[in-house]
Amino acid sequence: MEHTSSYEPKSAFGKWWDDRLPVARLMHGQFVDFPTPRNLNYLWTFGGILTFCLVAQIVTGIVLAMHYQPSAHEAFNSVEAIRRDVNFGWLLRNFHAVGASMFFIAVYIHIFRGLYYGSYKAPREVLWILGVLIFLVMMATAFMGYALPWGQMSFWGVTVITNLFSSLNEIIPGVGTAIVEWLWGGYSVSGTTLNRFFALHYLLPFVLFGIVVLHIWALHVAGQNNPTGLDIKTKSDAVPMFPYAVAKDAVGLFAFLILFGWFVFYVPDYLGHADNYIEANPLVTPPHIVPEWYFLPFYAILRAIPSKLGGVIAMFSAIAVLLFVPWLDTSRVRSAKYRPLYKWFFWLLVISAVALGYLGAKPAEGAYVTWSRIFTAYYFAHFLIVMPILGLIETPTALPKSISASVLPGGSGTPQGAAAAPETR
Amino acid sequence: MASEVEEPNRRDFLVIAGNAFAAVGAAITLWPFISQMNPDAGAQALASVEIDLSPVKEGQAITAMWRGKPIFIRNRTPEEIKTAEAMNPADLPDHSARNDMLPETTPALDANRVKKGKENWLILIGICTHLGCIPKGQAMGDSKGDFGGWFCPCHGSHYDTSGRIRKGPAPRNLEVPPYEFVSDNKIKIG
């Protein structure tokens, strides 16, 4: 978004510094007087909430690493020691463990918000793709983090997920096994595996941070989308980010922190699994292996396909398909608010995702499998069939003339024929 | 000038050779960083284990460890052997015997998964070929699945009394590790 920073250095030193490294000018331009659509609703506070989650995970994670022992013999006990002995260890550990779940709650809301309001459409394709990459790296980080307490679910979760790669044996015999043994550093999941997962779990959040910087950069080039999906056309369509958007973000963040705090202080283990308080045992598989709740929809897709390789391909495709959403959606209108038919399909997608999450936690048998297949079919159909076709045949309702017209009294969005601001390509 | 194709000169050669050299160098530099993740010689060493079978009575089973993996050892009853032998490999999901001591193409006959004259001893790597869980069926109270062998609770794979996959998502029969009878009642795995 082209605009000049209104930054004025106040002191002689500030002026001297600004001539040499104008970092304050950059921050002022991007985060203080950056033009923000005046009609943003609370769903737009999740970007800020997610930034908070990432920073909180990095800060708590670094201090936890000061007490954690990444070895097969010590890991389980050191996590228990953090919880029982280390000063405030109970708080830091719970905050980090619950924080992972909160991070995913926020990211799922953020993704569905983007899908509803068409935030992936031109000119925000790269912004969206960076978001999908963030989601992928987040999942890898969370998966490796869950291995670290070295409980039964940690151990068997790692065994099952790393074994997904052995399905490549069905394409080229031996390749899958070679990859799995390379990941494990042995012939089974062992302390060697735990050690490298710890190293990567420490590294990936910083990779994540780098992609987040690019994500925010891309956001500030295109400018924020908004509930109408219209572009900022006049000065009155926008308000400065500070104090307006920042204040709204703060309200959203505090509301989110109440939920966060409730989990941390009252039910820290509610989102986890009791089996993970049994130390890892390579000779006994828990009767019912389930991943963390945030992986359940993808786990349900994996199990819905009756072939091993097919299930793995379907699971990875479920994420990969998101990369193509900017081009799969053919509608000229961004926001689902003005798409009377798409709106219904959007909620069908939400229901499918939630239902798959429920089914992923159930045993893979009988009606659960049948329903998993039905919802998996809709998940893919939504992106590959509904999005391209509906965009061509649907007649959008009349768009407001501008962002301000949609929210300000007097100029209230009097429908004026066809789409006032169709997306330009 | 633009339409004429210039002969490659000495500089072009140097640029191509230099880049190729740098590419090979980069690949060689990367190699140790990838290879360090593979199992090292210590893990690779075929630490073989010897197991005494004499305490295992007919119908009982024990689990041993080899290379960090559980090894299922079952002393099968005559009925279990009979049902295993009656099965035609062509009717099975996986036609291969999956015996590390025999070629890949060996048919999945029960005779190809045990030692001749020791048909009661079934020795298997106790790892489900689907996603690596440990199937149930070793302990007394365990569910043995629909075919009297093993049952993997993770995703519902059923194995028969020869450890062959019969129902469920697992693609292959349970693997038979390399082993030999060092005496009448003792085996050496690996």
Side-chain angles (χ1 to χ4, degrees), chain A residues 156 159-161 163-164 166 169-170 177-178 181-188 192 196 200 282-289 299 302-303 306-308 312 364, chain B residues 33-40 43-45 63-65 67-71 127-136 153-156 168-172:
Chain A
W156 291 101
T159 302
V160 168
I161 301 300
N163 260 313
L164 293 178
S166 69
N169 280 339
E170 291 171 43
T177 308
E181 286 174 0
W182 178 72
L183 290 171
W184 287 342
Y187 301 101
S188 56
T192 317
R196 62 185 56 177
L200 294 173
L283 286 180
V284 181
T285 306
H288 186 45
I289 298 182
Y299 194 58
L302 168 77
R303 301 192 306 180
S307 115
K308 182 170 162 182
V312 173
Chain B
F33 289 91
I34 293 170
S35 176
Q36 55 84 21
M37 279 178 70
N38 272 318
D40 61 22
Q44 272 179 8
T63 305
M65 281 286 259
R67 274 181 162 191
K69 300 173 183 183
I71 301 295
I127 294 178
C128 181
T129 56
H130 181 224
L131 292 173
C133 296
I134 312 294
K136 297 260 165 215
C154 292
H155 306 97
R172 281 175 287 118

Side-chain angles (χ1 to χ4, degrees), chain A residues 132-166:
Chain A
V132 177
L133 292 182
I134 289 170
F135 181 47
L136 256 181
V137 176
M138 257 180 84
M139 291 203 282
T141 311
F143 164 67
M144 292 188 195
Y146 194 58
L148 303 185
W150 212 235
Q152 276 289 68
M153 278 296 166
S154 300
F155 185 92
W156 291 101
V158 171
T159 302
V160 168
I161 301 300
T162 48
N163 260 313
L164 293 178
F165 291 96
S166 69

Side-chain angles (χ1 to χ4, degrees), chain A residues 1 14 28 169 200 205 222 225 258 272 299 322 338 359 381 400:
Chain A
M1 185 123 290
H28 190 92
N169 280 339
L200 294 173
N225 187 28
I258 291 171
Y299 194 58
L322 295 174
Y338 308 104
L359 293 163

Side-chain angles (χ1 to χ4, degrees), chain B residues 83-93 95 108-109 164:
Chain B
T83 50
E85 282 174 346
M87 201 59 210
N88 181 0
D91 301 336
L92 294 164
H95 304 321
L109 288 167
R164 294 172 298 202

Side-chain angles (χ1 to χ4, degrees), chain A residues 107-307:
Chain A
V107 92
Y108 282 128
I109 295 174
H110 194 67
I111 292 170
F112 278 117
R113 192 269 304 173
L115 284 172
Y116 187 81
Y117 292 110
S119 300
Y120 46 83
K121 291 170 84 73
R124 299 187 181 84
E125 302 95 321
V126 173
L127 171 62
W128 172 263
I129 289 168
L130 286 166
V132 177
L133 292 182
I134 289 170
F135 181 47
L136 256 181
V137 176
M138 257 180 84
M139 291 203 282
T141 311
F143 164 67
M144 292 188 195
Y146 194 58
L148 303 185
W150 212 235
Q152 276 289 68
M153 278 296 166
S154 300
F155 185 92
W156 291 101
V158 171
T159 302
V160 168
I161 301 300
T162 48
N163 260 313
L164 293 178
F165 291 96
S166 69
S167 61
L168 294 174
N169 280 339
E170 291 171 43
I171 304 173
I172 313 165
V175 167
T177 308
I179 292 176
V180 171
E181 286 174 0
W182 178 72
L183 290 171
W184 287 342
Y187 301 101
S188 56
V189 175
S190 65
T192 317
T193 322
L194 173 64
N195 219 165
R196 62 185 56 177
F197 273 26
F198 176 62
L200 294 173
H201 183 70
Y202 205 120
L203 166 73
L204 288 182
F206 297 96
V207 174
L208 208 49
F209 195 86
I211 312 177
V212 167
V213 169
L214 295 180
H215 189 65
I216 295 173
W217 187 356
L219 174 72
H220 282 228
V221 170
Q224 279 155 299
N225 187 28
N226 63 81
T228 62
L230 302 176
D231 293 323
I232 294 176
K233 278 172 290 188
T234 57
K235 261 195 120 136
S236 72
D237 284 346
V239 288
M241 183 159 169
F242 182 84
Y244 300 99
V246 172
K248 192 158 188 150
D249 277 354
V251 174
L253 178 61
F254 282 118
F256 186 76
L257 281 176
I258 291 171
L259 178 74
F260 202 136
W262 180 68
F263 275 112
V264 170
F265 294 107
Y266 294 97
V267 280
D269 291 317
Y270 182 76
L271 296 166
H273 200 291
D275 272 330
N276 222 26
Y277 285 97
I278 303 168
E279 192 169 3
N281 181 352
L283 286 180
V284 181
T285 306
H288 186 45
I289 298 182
V290 275
E292 288 282 81
W293 70 266
Y294 39 79
F295 291 139
L296 290 174
F298 299 103
Y299 194 58
I301 291 174
L302 168 77
R303 301 192 306 180
I305 312 292
S307 115

Side-chain angles (χ1 to χ4, degrees), chain A residues 161 381 386 392:
Chain A
I161 301 300
V386 174
L392 299 176

